[in-house]
Amino acid sequence: LAALGPEHSAVATTYHGMAIIFTSQADYPKALEYFEKCLEIREKKLGLDHPHVSDAYSNKAIVLTRLGDFTGAVEIYRKCIAAMHSSLGAEHPSIAVNFAHLGAALQGLGDVAAASDAYSKCLELRRSTSGEDCDTMGWVAERLAGLTRGSAV
């Protein structure tokens, strides 16, 4: 840190790696702290639409979901999807994955209509980019079916 300075991109990468480790250990408050440190640097240095920023957004939203902060997760997933759309294009498979995660967070809030819309967008993108045999398709289709039956999956 002293050699590179507190806002060097390598410092942000280190913070991101530490956050991933804390996430894998289920230490979500510590993971959140390090994702926020990472994002503070990456947003300044790379801009809001850079793929490394959207990756950190996605991981932060996962942590927020695990902490039960569905409102915060929804906000971050939406930022992530917008950033990915700008940097990767509207058809990128990562956007579909984040629509699936957004759907789960919205479902956690009890917003069935919005969750259904997010899951449907995920399925539509996955079909157009990966075909019917994509690994995400079954899980998302099951979640969507559960919403239409009125049950949590």
Side-chain angles (χ1 to χ4, degrees):
L1 187 64
L4 299 174
E7 294 188 354
H8 193 278
S9 62
V11 174
T13 300
T14 300
Y15 287 153
H16 190 266
M18 292 171 70
I20 295 293
I21 290 168
F22 286 122
T23 301
S24 71
Q25 296 173 340
D27 188 347
Y28 302 125
K30 202 72 162 167
L32 187 59
E33 175 187 338
Y34 280 94
F35 281 129
E36 288 171 353
K37 288 180 178 187
C38 169
L39 279 164
E40 185 177 330
I41 297 168
R42 285 185 174 174
E43 286 174 344
K44 274 189 223 173
K45 295 291 184 181
L46 303 174
L48 299 178
D49 292 338
H50 194 279
H52 291 316
V53 174
S54 57
D55 182 50
Y57 283 154
S58 181
N59 288 318
K60 178 181 177 181
I62 289 168
V63 168
L64 289 170
T65 300
R66 290 183 181 164
L67 286 168
D69 182 0
F70 299 116
T71 301
V74 165
E75 178 185 334
I76 299 298
Y77 280 127
R78 287 184 172 146
K79 283 175 77 170
C80 175
I81 290 167
M84 286 182 167
H85 190 273
S86 294
S87 64
L88 302 174
E91 298 286 314
H92 197 276
S94 293
I95 295 173
V97 171
N98 280 283
F99 270 121
H101 292 304
L102 172 62
L106 288 163
Q107 190 172 354
L109 286 173
D111 190 342
V112 174
S116 177
D117 184 53
Y119 288 140
S120 294
K121 286 178 182 176
C122 171
L123 289 174
E124 180 182 318
L125 269 172
R126 286 308 238 186
R127 281 187 187 109
S128 69
T129 60
S130 305
E132 294 291 332
D133 293 331
C134 174
D135 59 344
T136 308
M137 296 287 284
W139 176 82
V140 175
E142 188 177 299
R143 299 288 292 216
L144 187 56
L147 285 177
T148 59
R149 287 191 309 266
S151 64
V153 176

